[in-house]
């Protein structure tokens, strides 16, 4: 598809290589960069970028847009934040391969628990018109607006081959051979890798299928990928049990060396009560020095969460006395949370919850709760002479369970430590989770946050290093060819932004998902123009309607 020609002039060019910025022009013809620097062409369109930075489009290596891409081929709002490519299918879950309603129902139930995407959204937005992974890629490719790297979910693959036994035992040789065949088929059709999980549970709190795989199975699948000439293995480690994350890194290192592939784990995050982040970075240095290729991933934002009793909540998953009510339909849930006979047990659990003392009241919906907005729940409790759990229930019940409770800065909140993690050469900028946990936080926006917080405000990174970390570095590590650099012959995935004003924007709670579902989104400031494969996809006028994304 021809996208014509564009000349970007008067730009401060940060080309993705990590080299110092320089002034010049960027010439684009038919989706490719044809010149950078002192160049000019007789272009169909000229974009004056005076006072702005022109860089490669950002690559978000950890998203869960697999369901959303079915009805939103732009993966909104990631493009607005300068992302031109997203990797989806992480944490062992993809929506293919799948056959029949039983399997699709099982995948939906796992997505609901692990990624916070509900049944009604799947029912209305995901057509399940495919069985194989190549068929799913064909569906995604048709009319795609953003570049997509699709991972095969290990749990999905295992359930497809083994059924319910996938959560009970290791695979037989015959089953493993079948999984390897299907994985190679997916890779040859355009998949970018395999994702697995060492920690997640399903709707019945049983380990997801990938956790029943033995080392033999993981190595065989890694080798099957390698046979196709490409492939990355991604995982989320067991970060809950001390020492298990380190064992995960060691196992990934052995897989990497045996199969000759890159492995990556997410997230590596700072916690004030643990040195696991530092131990993990030390272990990454050790295994890579020994010949493995293993990277961590970390997000630049604090791991802040919003909790509404009307929505899914990972915070409440760990409190059965709350969680059992949380599984109910909303009308029953309102009645159950409001029943005094249920409340004593819940109040005790909330009062013992370690982060409850740092919980703030965000958005409220009734006049009687208005004076609590923006205050610590613990302060309100002290003022009223009641417990924290009592305040949470009283406010939520008054608001029909819609009250927003915010947990801020408890994890990954110390910017000095986060900066050390983000700057580590073996830890990629990733783990955004964009497209998942939609009613708890907005994952899209990390790209703008690193540029505003750690480049402009704090000066922990130079502009060129931050751009390199989100473009060429991850493109090279993930085997994404022809992207991540402003260089002649590369795909014209480009973002134009104002380094003085770029920021991720405030969280907004909106109702724009299929199935009448709500989600948090951010709309950035300072991002002027985003181009994908040579076409302007988003600028000051909004989305252009260009749908030129590719499977990468």
């Amino acid at each position: 598809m021809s996208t014509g020609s564009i000349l970007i002039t008067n730009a401060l060019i940060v080309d993705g290589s990590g080299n110092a910025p320089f002034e010049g022009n960027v010439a684009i013809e038919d989706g490719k960069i044809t010149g950078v620097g002192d160049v000019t062409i007789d272009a169909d369109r000229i974009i004056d970028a005076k006072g702005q930075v022109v860089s490669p489009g950002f690559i978000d290596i950890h998203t869960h847009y697999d369901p959303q891409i079915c009805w939103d081929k732009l993966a909104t709002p990631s493009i607005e934040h300068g992302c031109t490519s997203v990797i989806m299918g992480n944490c062992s879950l993809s929506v293919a391969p799948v056959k029949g309603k039983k399997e699709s129902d099982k995948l939906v139930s796992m997505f609901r628990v692990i990624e916070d995407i509900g049944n009604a959204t799947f029912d209305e937005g995901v057509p399940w018109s495919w069985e194989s992974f190549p068929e799913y890629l064909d569906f995604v490719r048709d009319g795609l607006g953003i570049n997509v790297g699709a991972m095969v979910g290990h749990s999905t693959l295992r359930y497809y081959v083994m059924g319910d036994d996938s959560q009970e035992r290791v695979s037989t040789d015959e089953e493993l051979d079948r999984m390897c065949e299907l994985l190679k088929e997916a890779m040859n059709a355009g998949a970018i890798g395999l994702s697995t999980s060492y920690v997640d549970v399903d709707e019945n709190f049983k380990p997801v299928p990938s956790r029943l795989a033995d080392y033999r199975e993981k190595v065989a699948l890694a080798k099957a990928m390698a046979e196709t000439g490409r492939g990355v293995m991604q995982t989320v480690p067991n970060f809950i049990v001390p020492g298990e994350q380190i064992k995960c890194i060691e196992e990934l290192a052995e897989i990497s060396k045996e199969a000759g592939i890159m492995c990556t784990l997410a997230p590596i995050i700072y916690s004030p009560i643990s040195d696991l982040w530092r131990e993990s970075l030390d272990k990454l240095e050790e295994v890579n020095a020994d010949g493995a290729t293993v990277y961590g991933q970390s997000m630049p934002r604090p791991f802040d969460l919003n909790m509404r009793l009307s929505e899914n909540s990972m915070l409440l998953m760990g409190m059965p006395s709350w969680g059992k009510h949380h599984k109910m339909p909303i009308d029953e849930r309102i009645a159950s949370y409001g029943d005094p006979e249920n409340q004593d047990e819940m109040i005790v659990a909330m009062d013992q919850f370690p982060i409850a003392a740092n919980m703030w009241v965000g958005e409220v919906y009734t006049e009687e709760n208005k004076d609590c907005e923006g205050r610590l729940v613990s302060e309100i409790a002290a003022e009223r002479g009641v417990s924290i759990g009592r305040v949470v229930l009283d406010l939520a019940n008054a608001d029909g369970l819609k009250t927003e409770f915010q947990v801020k800065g408890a994890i990954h909140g110390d910017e000095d430590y986060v900066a050390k993690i983000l700057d580590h050469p073996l830890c990629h900028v990733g783990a955004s989770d964009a497209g998942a946990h939609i009613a708890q936080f907005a994952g899209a926006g990390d790209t703008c946050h690193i540029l505003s917080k750690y480049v402009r405000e704090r000066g922990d990174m130079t502009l060129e290093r931050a751009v390199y970390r989100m473009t060429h570095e991850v493109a090279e590590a993930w085997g994404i060819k022809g992207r991540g650099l402003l260089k002649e012959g590369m795909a014209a995935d480009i973002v134009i932004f104002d380094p003085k004003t770029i920021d991720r924007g405030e969280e907004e709670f909106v109702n724009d998902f299929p199935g009448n579902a709500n989600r948090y989104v951010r709309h950035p400031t300072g991002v002027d123009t985003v181009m994908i494969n040579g076409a302007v996809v988003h600028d000051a006028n909004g989305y252009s309607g260009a749908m030129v994304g590719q499977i990468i």
Side-chain angles (χ1 to χ4, degrees):
M1 174 182 175
S2 175
T3 54
S5 59
I6 296 176
L7 182 66
I8 304 172
T9 62
N10 302 314
L12 181 64
I13 297 171
V14 181
D15 66 6
S17 67
N19 294 331
F22 58 94
E23 295 183 354
N25 300 343
V26 179
I28 299 152
E29 297 180 77
D30 292 330
K32 300 287 186 182
I33 296 170
T34 57
V36 178
D38 185 16
V39 298
T40 189
I41 58 171
D42 184 15
D44 299 327
R45 178 177 178 181
I46 295 175
I47 298 176
D48 186 354
K50 186 174 180 60
Q52 300 195 88
V53 168
V54 174
S55 81
F58 307 133
I59 302 171
D60 189 340
I61 58 174
H62 193 112
T63 79
H64 293 278
Y65 281 124
D66 317 55
Q68 185 177 332
I69 209 76
C70 293
W71 68 84
D72 173 16
K73 295 291 185 78
L74 293 163
T76 61
S78 279
I79 287 174
E80 297 166 42
H81 295 270
C83 291
T84 55
S85 299
V86 294
I87 310 298
M88 63 187 195
N90 288 282
C91 301
S92 89
L93 292 182
S94 57
V95 294
V98 61
K99 59 189 175 195
K101 181 167 174 55
K102 179 185 176 184
E103 284 198 7
S104 62
D105 284 351
K106 180 62 180 178
L107 296 185
V108 170
S109 69
M110 288 195 288
F111 265 97
R112 185 181 69 247
V113 171
I114 300 168
E115 311 303 348
D116 187 20
I117 302 170
N119 293 47
T121 296
F122 272 95
D123 289 345
E124 189 174 308
V126 179
W128 301 110
S129 57
W130 56 82
E131 178 172 336
S132 71
F133 205 87
E135 289 170 340
Y136 172 64
L137 289 182
D138 286 342
F139 173 85
V140 171
R141 190 181 284 111
D142 184 23
L144 186 59
I146 193 169
N147 299 318
V148 165
M151 305 200 83
V152 180
H154 189 185
S155 288
T156 302
L157 179 65
R158 216 169 188 271
Y159 190 77
Y160 180 84
V161 172
M162 299 175 62
D164 292 340
D165 282 354
S166 64
Q167 291 184 273
E168 302 294 338
R169 59 173 174 81
V170 299
S171 57
T172 65
D173 289 344
E174 183 180 3
E175 289 165 338
L176 181 51
D177 287 345
R178 180 62 176 146
M179 281 189 268
C180 289
E181 289 172 9
L182 291 168
L183 182 56
K184 284 191 285 187
E185 177 186 66
M187 298 301 297
N188 286 324
I192 200 168
L194 176 78
S195 72
T196 189
S197 173
Y198 289 59
V199 71
D200 287 302
V201 296
D202 70 2
E203 72 282 5
N204 299 312
F205 296 95
K206 291 183 65 173
V208 294
S210 67
R211 291 179 60 187
L212 277 293
D214 56 6
Y215 179 75
R216 141 192 163 276
E217 179 176 317
K218 296 169 192 173
V219 169
L221 290 169
K223 288 182 176 180
M225 279 197 295
E227 286 179 28
T228 70
R230 58 185 306 195
V232 170
M233 180 177 283
Q234 180 275 340
T235 194
V236 53
N238 185 347
F239 51 83
I240 299 170
V241 179
E244 288 300 310
Q245 181 158 308
I246 302 304
K247 290 180 183 178
C248 175
I249 294 173
E250 292 171 341
E251 182 169 90
L252 291 178
E254 293 306 309
I255 293 170
S256 172
K257 288 189 290 186
E258 280 204 51
I261 65 166
M262 188 269 276
C263 296
T264 177
L265 73 157
I268 292 178
I269 52 178
Y270 168 73
S271 169
I273 62 173
S274 170
D275 278 333
L276 183 57
W277 69 274
R278 194 189 307 273
E279 294 166 7
S280 297
L281 295 178
D282 289 346
K283 180 58 70 172
L284 286 172
E285 292 177 3
E286 177 187 318
V287 300
N288 280 272
D290 192 41
T293 305
V294 185
Y295 289 92
Q297 298 175 26
S298 189
M299 74 286 277
R301 71 177 186 276
F303 194 63
D304 294 346
L305 289 173
N306 302 301
M307 180 185 79
R308 297 172 187 253
L309 302 190
S310 58
E311 306 288 341
N312 288 342
S313 171
M314 65 178 76
L315 292 175
L316 298 182
M317 285 285 289
M319 292 192 290
S321 59
W322 291 73
K324 64 186 179 183
H325 307 284
H326 217 62
K327 295 178 181 180
M328 300 175 179
I330 188 62
D331 290 343
E332 295 177 29
R333 193 185 309 178
I334 289 172
S336 190
Y337 276 123
D339 187 342
E341 291 189 7
N342 297 330
Q343 293 181 354
D344 289 346
E345 182 184 25
M346 287 190 283
I347 288 170
V348 170
M350 183 61 72
D351 291 344
Q352 294 173 348
F353 196 40
I355 59 177
N358 293 317
M359 191 180 295
W360 297 75
V361 179
E363 187 176 17
V364 300
Y365 290 81
T366 53
E367 194 61 35
E368 64 186 280
N369 284 347
K370 204 68 180 173
D371 64 337
C372 296
E373 205 167 41
R375 298 180 61 192
L376 272 168
V377 175
S378 57
E379 288 182 358
I380 300 168
E383 184 180 278
R384 295 183 178 182
V386 298
S387 69
I388 289 173
R390 179 77 268 165
V391 171
V392 170
L393 282 172
D394 286 350
L395 296 181
N397 283 320
D399 277 341
L401 304 188
K402 294 184 291 185
T403 317
E404 178 184 61
F405 298 97
Q406 303 170 333
V407 178
K408 301 179 181 180
I411 301 174
H412 213 55
D414 189 314
E415 292 167 358
D416 291 338
Y417 288 103
V418 173
K420 294 179 189 294
I421 296 171
L422 292 176
D423 198 47
H424 196 282
L426 294 175
C427 195
H428 288 149
V429 175
S432 79
D433 265 351
H437 312 295
I438 57 173
Q440 297 175 79
F441 60 80
D446 283 3
T447 48
C448 294
H449 186 61
I450 196 170
L451 293 169
S452 64
K453 177 62 69 176
Y454 293 98
V455 174
R456 184 176 66 239
E457 292 181 24
R458 289 176 48 93
D460 297 293
M461 284 189 199
T462 63
L463 177 61
E464 58 266 29
R465 175 156 174 75
V467 169
Y468 164 73
R469 302 230 70 194
M470 297 186 288
T471 57
H472 184 51
E473 181 182 46
V474 287
E476 286 284 284
W478 282 73
I480 301 171
K481 305 298 183 185
R483 302 181 192 274
L485 277 176
L486 298 184
K487 181 181 177 182
E488 186 176 348
M490 304 291 277
D493 295 344
I494 292 172
V495 56
I496 304 174
F497 63 90
D498 184 344
K500 300 182 295 298
T501 61
I502 190 169
D503 210 337
R504 60 181 177 162
E506 296 296 322
E507 276 189 330
E508 301 174 32
F509 197 57
V510 300
N511 179 253
D512 68 351
F513 250 37
N516 197 35
N518 303 306
R519 65 168 174 159
Y520 282 96
V521 298
R522 294 180 185 270
H523 299 290
T525 57
V527 179
D528 181 87
T529 303
V530 181
M531 301 173 61
I532 296 176
N533 296 310
V536 173
V537 176
H538 191 274
D539 60 14
N541 297 313
Y543 288 97
S544 69
M547 305 297 279
V548 293
Q550 298 176 5
I551 300 294
I552 56 174

